[in-house]
Amino acid sequence: MKLKTVSVHIVTYNSADDIAECLSAVLSQDYPVKKIVVVDNASTDGSAEKVRAFYHERNKDAALHTAKPAHSVDAATITAATSSGDAINCIPSPTLVLLENELNTGFAPAHNQAIAGTTTDYVLVLNPDLTLAPDYISKLIARMEADSRIGSATGKLLLKADHSLVDSTGLRMNKARRAFDRGAGEPADQWNESGEVLGVSGAAAMYSRRMIEDISVEGEFFDADFFAYKEDVDVAWRAELFGWKAYYDAEALGYHERGWKTSGRSGKAMFIKRISYINRYKMIYKNEPSRTLLLTLLNSLPYEIAAHGYSLLKEPKLLGAWTSFFAQRAALKRKRRYIQEKAKRQAQ
């Protein structure tokens, strides 16, 4: 039986300290990876150079050539001319494509860029600060092949600094439409049961091409208007509306640095806070069915009062994020119409 193909997509932004370890783990997978796509979002720390140096060291005979810019960006393509001599089980080294953006386009647009450049049956969206166990890919693909309605899957993601603690076992969302990583900060041995989840964290998310094509809106899998943050929750919610399942495999392991999450709110730039804040409302506007909107508003009212009271007193600049919402309202309305109409058809 012919193996399903998989590509690994990594977006780097000042990720020079992590990218080599991340790529090493991808090359050590016990499942053949057809292509690795690294999109560098105008890093200033030499991330792109680290990628080139790593692959040239791994493949001494690799040929470096310049490709035409893809999606209006400068691109360099690194292609392995021969199989890596120390690849596990003689699995050929994947082709590696490095796309260098002149500007930081954001997580969501950069991953859309990578998705558009591949045709594999499966896509693993991977953070550069995450290291995979050697059987991560094979375990997830086996699970997804066993059930054609599973469109996304994740393993047990642990904190790289402390493997006894969970980083994420998937996504959950409360009645106020606030999303969280399941099990974050909890003991890893409490999360040994595999099963269906709302969705998967974009840190190490396996997506089927069939689902990507089915739930994309206006040619975009991740909503490019999100730039970054909550784009994976938006995808999970949309996928659920369209009838797809998400799965958590407790035996597939990954180790995540997650430095930004442990820095505390005071350590985050206002730009990041604004994006994370407003993307929740964009997500609700697009995905909340009309029949449940009033109930969601009632459930979220205590949180909204407390959160906005805090913002007015402590972070009034946060509310400036609404300019982004209203500037994009026409596009959000158009996307909502498409999503809700397709969801209704799916439910019939």
Side-chain angles (χ1 to χ4, degrees):
M1 182 177 177
K2 186 177 180 181
L3 287 175
K4 296 295 183 178
T5 56
V6 60
S7 55
V8 178
H9 302 176
I10 305 168
V11 173
T12 54
Y13 178 69
N14 293 338
S15 309
D17 291 342
D18 302 306
I19 189 61
E21 182 179 351
C22 177
L23 289 171
S24 291
V26 173
L27 292 180
S28 296
Q29 291 297 296
D30 62 9
Y31 191 97
V33 175
K34 183 176 182 179
K35 181 182 287 188
I36 303 171
V37 181
V38 178
V39 183
D40 185 68
N41 262 340
S43 295
T44 59
D45 69 342
S47 293
E49 289 75 11
K50 272 289 186 75
V51 174
R52 291 193 191 90
F54 173 87
Y55 216 69
H56 284 166
E57 179 64 26
R58 186 84 182 195
N59 302 276
K60 298 295 186 181
D61 298 325
L64 174 64
H65 62 88
T66 301
K68 292 182 179 180
H71 301 276
S72 301
V73 299
D74 292 329
T77 304
I78 307 171
T79 305
T82 60
S83 297
S84 174
D86 56 350
I88 292 181
N89 296 329
C90 298
I91 295 175
S93 289
T95 298
L96 187 141
V97 177
L98 172 63
L99 303 177
E100 296 181 73
N101 288 343
E102 295 179 351
L103 298 172
N104 183 2
T105 62
F107 179 97
H111 271 297
N112 287 341
Q113 183 180 338
I115 289 169
T118 59
T119 59
T120 50
D121 300 309
Y122 290 95
V123 166
L124 177 64
V125 169
L126 184 63
N127 275 13
D129 62 348
L130 202 143
T131 303
L132 302 175
D135 58 356
Y136 189 88
I137 289 176
S138 61
K139 285 187 179 299
L140 295 191
I141 290 182
R143 171 52 59 182
M144 296 174 80
E145 283 294 293
D147 185 347
S148 63
R149 295 310 299 171
I150 298 177
S152 59
T154 186
K156 183 191 290 186
L157 307 185
L158 306 174
L159 293 178
K160 193 176 289 188
D162 186 346
H163 295 181
S164 70
L165 296 178
V166 167
D167 174 69
S168 178
T169 65
L171 300 173
R172 65 180 180 88
M173 188 161 52
N174 65 17
K175 293 180 179 180
R177 299 309 191 190
R178 297 182 65 207
F180 306 90
D181 285 294
R182 290 192 337 147
E186 297 179 12
D189 59 10
Q190 294 182 7
W191 293 90
N192 292 330
E193 184 176 349
S194 302
E196 291 185 27
V197 290
L198 168 68
V200 299
S201 166
M206 186 72 78
Y207 297 112
S208 74
R209 180 72 59 173
R210 292 182 304 109
M211 191 190 83
I212 289 172
E213 293 176 348
D214 182 57
I215 76 168
S216 291
V217 179
E218 299 181 354
E220 294 178 350
F221 178 60
F222 292 115
D223 191 330
D225 289 337
F226 277 44
F227 187 85
Y229 302 106
K230 294 186 175 65
E231 72 293 316
D232 51 358
V233 184
D234 178 58
V235 160
W237 195 349
R238 193 184 335 138
E240 182 186 49
L241 288 172
F242 291 178
W244 290 93
K245 298 178 182 178
Y247 195 86
Y248 161 63
D249 189 327
E251 296 183 0
L253 301 178
Y255 306 94
H256 197 187
E257 186 68 34
R258 190 76 81 157
W260 68 269
K261 197 169 187 178
T262 57
S263 63
R265 185 172 181 85
S266 61
K268 298 179 179 66
M270 180 56 65
F271 172 69
I272 292 174
K273 293 177 185 178
R274 281 183 170 182
I275 292 173
S276 181
Y277 162 80
I278 202 61
N279 283 354
R280 173 172 168 265
Y281 295 101
K282 292 178 182 179
M283 180 179 68
I284 293 172
Y285 186 90
K286 291 190 307 170
N287 298 315
E288 186 71 60
S290 298
R291 68 180 183 278
T292 58
L293 182 57
L294 179 59
L295 181 60
T296 295
L297 289 174
L298 292 174
N299 284 325
S300 64
L301 190 59
Y303 167 75
E304 300 297 341
I305 292 173
H308 285 86
Y310 175 87
S311 296
L312 286 171
L313 292 173
K314 300 292 186 179
E315 295 180 330
K317 292 182 179 179
L318 183 67
L319 301 180
W322 282 100
T323 59
S324 167
F325 182 95
F326 290 112
Q328 297 169 358
R329 188 172 180 274
L332 290 168
K333 186 175 182 179
R334 188 173 64 247
K335 293 172 185 176
R336 173 180 173 79
R337 184 182 304 114
Y338 175 83
I339 292 169
Q340 297 304 319
E341 289 178 354
K342 181 166 181 174
K344 287 179 182 178
R345 293 195 302 270
Q346 183 67 37
Q348 292 175 350

